[in-house]
Amino acid sequence: MNASAKVKLATVWLDGCSGCHMSLLDMDERLLELSAKFDLVFSPLVDFKTYPDWVDVALVEGAISSVEDERKIAHIRKHTTFLIAMGDCAVTGNVPAMRNAFGPEPILQRAYYENATIQRQTPCVLVPQLLQVVRPVHEFVKVDMYLPGCPPSADTFYTVLSELLDGRIPDVASLSRFGA
Amino acid sequence: MKTIADVKTLVIDGIDVSARGDQTVLEVARENNISIPTLCHLDGLSDVGACRLCVVELKNSTKLLPACVLKVEEGMEVTTNSERLRHYRRTILELLFTERNHVCSVCVANGNCELQALAQSQGLTHVSLPYLNPKLKVDASHESFVLDPNRCILCTRCVRVCAEIEGAHVWDIMGRGVDSMPISTSLGENPTARGAGSACRSARPALFPTKATSGATIPSIPKWSRISTC
């Protein structure tokens, strides 16, 4: 990271509940302090539609559950210097991976047939095809830092981002854990 | 007739310590405030060396030995913490996380789990091995207890408490390797938490590292079994 310029930061939402993003926002006014050191260049929280050609740090929330997630994470990795798996879904698969013992078909059956009263059909347009098994981000691409927690607390986010933006690598294990 | 005390002297992590001849390295280490991680050891029960997290190094031996079943010997030199040991302990924890479905965020034991806490203290921020995602049935047939094999780490604490403290021995482990499962022996071919919970009230909350059996929220049952039990 170049200390003289603002860090280009991205956040990404794959198969997660957005709780990690909510926790990120829970930093409240501390976000203003940190924002002096970064530009948010891509995120569900802002309006950019395409992932930039170059990103310094990306926080990736969510597991890889669909062909779309798989395509996105490959693209993100290619255009990111430092990729952080943010939260238990990205780190372990967590709740989305609870379907792994059953496979996607019973899940689709439950959602679109058993729980539907009209128009019972599996969506096949615009909705990406589910993978047979939900897996954590590091099983698809190299991950530079793991930030476990469901979600990681706002204090954890603040410490981690403060350290990274100052060019240091924080001791994540002392800050958060699976399920935190 | 005068009895001569059986005292051994040994070195643990460079510290000279003395011990009774029948003690284990784990016992002596803890008496001397030397921490060795364990999941299957519980004071008052026999030791079985199931989890292997307490492995230590012994001078002049290339083997790693579990401290909970390693009897002290005169002059032995033990190392309880090294990069090699940390590597093996982290790998053991990874194997435990991948064998079953330990989804901390939705687990009744979240925040009160020895496996979860140990993972953090050993610096485990992710699991590099592939998850097996086994399909395991939760047995909620008993009014007070739920048996969830998804959380079982096969420590056998429940088996030993029930057998050695209660004297009932209605729990045991069936199968081999990753297919091993806790079973109740009280209902023969149809093992279920119903029989075990009734016969053995030893499934108490503080005894079991990951709360593979947990208490349902029923006001009429004792407090210890309403919080997440074993």
Side-chain angles (χ1 to χ4, degrees):
Chain A
M1 276 172 267
N2 186 348
S4 61
K6 278 190 165 189
V7 169
K8 288 183 177 177
L9 181 75
T11 76
V12 181
W13 182 10
L14 302 178
D15 193 3
C17 69
S18 92
C20 294
H21 276 85
M22 296 300 106
S23 192
L24 191 70
L25 291 177
D26 270 348
M27 281 194 283
D28 299 328
E29 70 275 13
R30 289 177 292 183
L31 269 171
L32 294 175
E33 173 201 327
L34 291 179
S35 68
K37 297 177 183 171
F38 71 78
D39 283 326
L40 191 58
V41 294
F42 183 85
S43 171
L45 305 169
V46 294
D47 204 27
F48 301 109
K49 304 296 186 212
T50 54
Y51 199 81
D53 284 342
W54 204 252
V55 169
D56 292 314
V57 179
L59 292 159
V60 178
E61 172 182 347
I64 310 298
S65 298
S66 68
V67 290
E68 177 75 350
D69 295 335
E70 199 175 357
R71 187 192 63 76
K72 279 181 182 168
I73 198 64
H75 182 82
I76 289 160
R77 176 70 274 184
K78 197 174 170 185
H79 297 277
T80 305
T81 306
F82 195 82
L83 192 153
I84 302 174
M86 168 171 69
D88 278 354
C89 296
V91 174
T92 73
N94 199 28
V95 172
M98 288 172 73
R99 74 160 159 88
N100 286 355
F102 307 93
E105 290 78 16
I107 305 299
L108 294 170
Q109 182 72 22
R110 180 74 176 157
Y112 293 107
Y113 293 89
E114 293 170 24
N115 285 342
T117 50
I118 54 169
Q119 296 275 28
R120 289 180 177 169
Q121 56 185 317
T122 305
C124 56
V125 180
L126 296 176
V127 181
Q129 186 189 349
L130 296 178
L131 298 176
Q132 281 297 313
V133 177
V134 178
R135 289 190 282 159
V137 170
H138 65 267
E139 291 197 25
F140 292 83
V141 297
K142 177 176 172 283
V143 168
D144 300 300
M145 178 181 282
Y146 299 88
L147 194 51
C150 188
S153 69
D155 288 346
T156 297
F157 276 119
Y158 178 70
T159 305
V160 167
L161 287 178
S162 300
E163 291 289 292
L164 283 176
L165 291 169
D166 286 341
R168 295 185 294 268
I169 300 294
D171 175 19
V172 174
S174 67
L175 301 169
S176 193
R177 56 167 164 74
F178 301 135
Chain B
M1 190 175 137
K2 198 173 177 183
T3 308
I4 300 170
D6 179 18
V7 177
K8 311 272 194 211
T9 56
L10 60 153
V11 179
I12 304 179
D13 292 347
I15 301 167
D16 291 315
V17 298
S18 58
R20 288 194 323 274
D22 62 348
Q23 283 188 296
T24 64
V25 168
L26 179 66
E27 284 177 306
V28 179
R30 288 189 171 178
E31 278 179 9
N32 289 278
N33 298 317
I34 297 166
S35 173
I36 301 177
T38 64
L39 285 175
C40 68
H41 170 82
L42 194 65
D43 285 342
L45 298 182
S46 63
D47 281 302
V48 292
C51 73
R52 315 306 276 190
L53 279 159
C54 70
V55 284
V56 294
E57 290 172 338
L58 206 56
K59 192 176 180 184
N60 299 325
S61 171
T62 54
K63 286 182 182 173
L64 299 177
L65 298 162
C68 68
V69 290
L70 179 63
K71 295 289 184 191
V72 295
E73 285 176 25
E74 182 64 35
M76 76 189 334
E77 291 184 37
V78 180
T79 301
T80 71
N81 201 356
S82 66
E83 188 45 54
R84 180 183 176 219
L85 289 171
R86 285 192 292 275
H87 166 74
Y88 279 109
R89 285 172 185 155
R90 278 197 299 269
T91 305
I92 291 166
L93 288 168
E94 289 198 25
L95 288 166
L96 290 175
F97 276 107
T98 55
E99 265 185 23
R100 302 286 164 93
N101 301 306
H102 296 280
V103 189
C104 297
S105 60
V106 296
C107 180
V108 291
N110 190 8
N112 187 29
C113 171
E114 291 175 44
L115 177 64
Q116 183 187 37
L118 200 53
Q120 187 178 20
S121 69
Q122 297 295 313
L124 193 72
T125 57
H126 73 290
V127 173
S128 57
L129 303 169
Y131 290 92
L132 296 183
N133 304 124
K135 189 175 184 179
L136 302 171
K137 278 188 177 174
V138 175
D139 186 343
S141 61
H142 190 271
E143 64 180 7
S144 303
F145 300 100
V146 176
L147 172 61
D148 186 356
N150 291 287
R151 311 284 189 251
C152 182
I153 58 165
L154 302 170
C155 68
T156 71
R157 282 196 202 175
C158 61
V159 175
R160 285 174 287 144
V161 167
C162 189
E164 297 170 14
I165 306 298
E166 298 286 333
H169 200 165
V170 300
W171 292 101
D172 218 309
I173 302 294
M174 185 175 78
R176 292 181 64 81
V178 293
D179 297 322
S180 302
M181 291 293 155
I183 56 160
S184 154
T185 54
S186 62
L187 289 185
E189 291 181 358
N190 185 23
T192 164
R194 174 171 292 281
S198 303
C200 178
R201 302 294 287 184
S202 60
R204 292 176 194 179
L207 301 180
F208 306 105
T210 63
K211 315 296 183 284
T213 51
S214 57
T217 308
I218 300 170
S220 61
I221 60 174
K223 191 179 177 186
W224 54 259
S225 54
R226 270 188 277 129
I227 59 176
S228 62
T229 67
C230 145

